[in-house]
Amino acid sequence: IQREVDLITYYGEKVYDGTVIDYTYTYNDPNNINGVAYTLDNKVVDEVDSINTHTEFINVELDLNGNATTRKNVITLTIKEDGIDVTYNYHFNTYYDDLLIKKRELKIQADYATKIYDGLELTTKDWIYLDSPYEVVSGETLTIETSGSIVDTGIKTNPIESYKVLKANEEDSSTNY
């Protein structure tokens, strides 16, 4: 008969920061199952290998309306005795909760630009933070597209039409913001 073990994962959430979300779990611990050597049925079990199936859960996932979605906090537990997988001797009652990575809020505006009249168009794609709660994650780059331009003297708004955030490997990270 397989030994029953309760495996429980917990809800976790964070704002996107470019790293894997920390996950938490517990399992029914009548025999001091704690991730290192422990005793089970009076035998010393040398390791519990836990594999978080969400190791790649780093980016915001969006539903069809552009809202951040949750993912189940699923974990697979492998129990080894003397280096041999004995997981088949156990039945896991699993209770999975959710993980959520929320979009990172940025408040930016196109930067101000000025020059002496020379008959040539003035544009800028520079930007500045506006009392923003967060900045772009380290190692990522934000670029903007603006639609404002001016040739003659005066003042004209320079609205941001679109933005793009790229990771160091050139992967698009825009949906995380």
Side-chain angles (χ1 to χ4, degrees):
I1 297 177
Q2 289 179 315
R3 181 186 189 107
E4 292 210 14
V5 175
D6 292 337
L7 180 58
I8 303 165
T9 64
Y10 298 99
Y11 178 79
E13 73 175 44
K14 71 173 187 172
V15 172
Y16 171 75
D17 66 1
T19 63
V20 175
I21 189 168
D22 291 330
Y23 63 94
T24 57
Y25 65 91
T26 61
Y27 34 106
N28 187 337
D29 203 359
N31 294 294
N32 192 28
I33 299 175
N34 60 11
V36 295
Y38 60 94
T39 303
L40 210 66
D41 296 331
N42 297 320
K43 296 179 183 176
V44 174
V45 178
D46 61 357
E47 61 184 294
V48 174
D49 292 339
S50 59
I51 303 166
N52 179 2
T53 60
H54 293 299
T55 54
E56 295 303 314
F57 192 35
I58 297 174
N59 301 313
V60 175
E61 293 183 349
L62 303 177
D63 64 18
L64 295 176
N65 296 317
N67 301 311
T69 61
T70 58
R71 186 188 275 193
K72 287 292 179 197
N73 186 5
V74 177
I75 192 165
T76 303
L77 188 68
T78 303
I79 299 177
K80 293 185 178 180
E81 183 177 312
D82 298 324
I84 298 171
D85 186 344
V86 293
T87 309
Y88 60 87
N89 289 319
Y90 299 86
H91 172 76
F92 295 101
N93 300 311
T94 55
Y95 307 94
Y96 298 139
D97 209 333
D98 294 324
L99 296 174
L100 170 66
I101 298 178
K102 298 185 282 187
K103 287 186 172 199
R104 189 175 189 89
E105 181 182 353
L106 295 179
K107 294 180 182 177
I108 60 170
Q109 78 173 26
D111 201 4
Y112 181 78
T114 184
K115 71 175 184 174
I116 302 289
Y117 175 78
D118 62 4
L120 300 174
E121 180 181 47
L122 172 63
T123 63
T124 184
K125 293 185 183 199
D126 294 334
W127 54 271
I128 58 172
Y129 288 109
L130 287 177
D131 198 23
S132 187
Y134 299 104
E135 295 183 358
V136 175
V137 169
S138 178
E140 296 188 0
T141 306
L142 170 67
T143 58
I144 64 169
E145 292 296 322
T146 60
S147 60
S149 71
I150 189 169
V151 174
D152 296 322
T153 60
I155 296 175
K156 188 169 183 185
T157 60
N158 189 23
I160 296 174
E161 297 298 325
S162 65
Y163 70 93
K164 186 175 236 178
V165 180
L166 294 178
K167 295 181 179 185
N169 65 2
E170 299 296 314
E171 179 185 345
D172 190 346
S173 186
S174 302
T175 58
N176 293 315
Y177 295 87

